[in-house]
Amino acid sequence: MSEKLIIVIWILFGFYSLVFLSILADLWAGVRKARLRGELRTSYGLRRTVTKLSKSYNALVALTIIDAMQMTGIWYLITYNGCSCIYFPVFTFIGALFIALIELKSICEKADVKKIRDVTELLGSIVHDKKDARKIAETIAKYLTEKNKEKDA
């Protein structure tokens, strides 16, 4: 029994560590994208990351408590009724997976939103200069040049 408990503790440590790494990956992506856009990086974004960490870990702790209750029930069934059940922190696993998927979406989503905003600005410039073909060509060339610089960076 104690061997199973040690393994479960290591599994939980792995889940908590991977959630932390996924939040750091989102922070790193946000800083990198802000740097590419030339935006000022302030402590506000870092405070949001700390808030996100605390909310994520609050949820994980609550899920781990639920897992402790369900694993206690499983231990009882195994020990006193001879049942064969899986001894695994299922709810913490699902919660950690959910948080990591949200972070992945956050990493990808911000890039998409930026692309949509850039294309919208490009279309606005084209509509504004609709009677001047030379200006439209310059605007498109400038847009493509900036995109190529971002790709190379």
Side-chain angles (χ1 to χ4, degrees):
M1 178 63 186
S2 64
E3 182 180 318
K4 287 182 181 180
L5 185 60
I6 291 171
I7 291 171
V8 167
I9 290 170
W10 276 107
I11 289 171
L12 288 171
F13 176 74
F15 291 161
Y16 279 67
S17 298
L18 292 173
V19 164
F20 182 75
L21 289 175
S22 67
I23 292 172
L24 285 183
D26 182 37
L27 172 66
W28 176 65
V31 168
R32 186 176 46 91
K33 289 173 190 174
R35 187 178 299 139
L36 284 173
R37 290 189 301 260
E39 292 177 358
L40 184 64
R41 291 161 308 278
T42 62
S43 63
Y44 173 73
L46 296 174
R47 279 194 307 263
R48 281 186 21 211
T49 299
V50 170
T51 301
K52 187 188 307 184
L53 269 170
S54 67
K55 287 180 179 181
S56 297
Y57 278 106
N58 283 342
L60 280 181
V61 167
L63 291 171
T64 302
I65 290 169
I66 293 169
D67 274 328
M69 290 188 286
Q70 67 94 5
M71 286 189 295
T72 301
I74 289 174
W75 167 80
Y76 175 82
L77 291 174
I78 291 171
T79 305
Y80 294 105
N81 293 328
C83 291
S84 173
C85 297
I86 298 173
Y87 203 73
F88 185 75
V90 177
F91 295 105
T92 305
F93 170 70
I94 293 169
L97 184 64
F98 214 26
I99 291 169
L101 289 172
I102 290 169
E103 293 306 314
L104 177 64
K105 184 180 183 305
S106 175
I107 290 168
C108 297
E109 183 178 58
K110 294 188 185 209
D112 293 342
V113 169
K114 171 68 173 133
K115 287 177 188 175
I116 290 170
R117 188 173 67 225
D118 287 350
V119 170
T120 304
E121 288 174 6
L122 174 65
L123 290 174
S125 296
I126 290 172
V127 168
H128 181 265
D129 299 327
K130 63 185 172 196
K131 295 183 180 181
D132 190 354
R134 185 181 55 78
K135 268 192 165 181
I136 292 173
E138 287 174 2
T139 303
I140 293 172
K142 180 181 174 186
Y143 174 80
L144 293 174
T145 302
E146 288 175 3
K147 288 298 157 193
N148 284 335
K149 284 181 185 176
E150 286 179 10
K151 285 181 184 178
D152 292 340

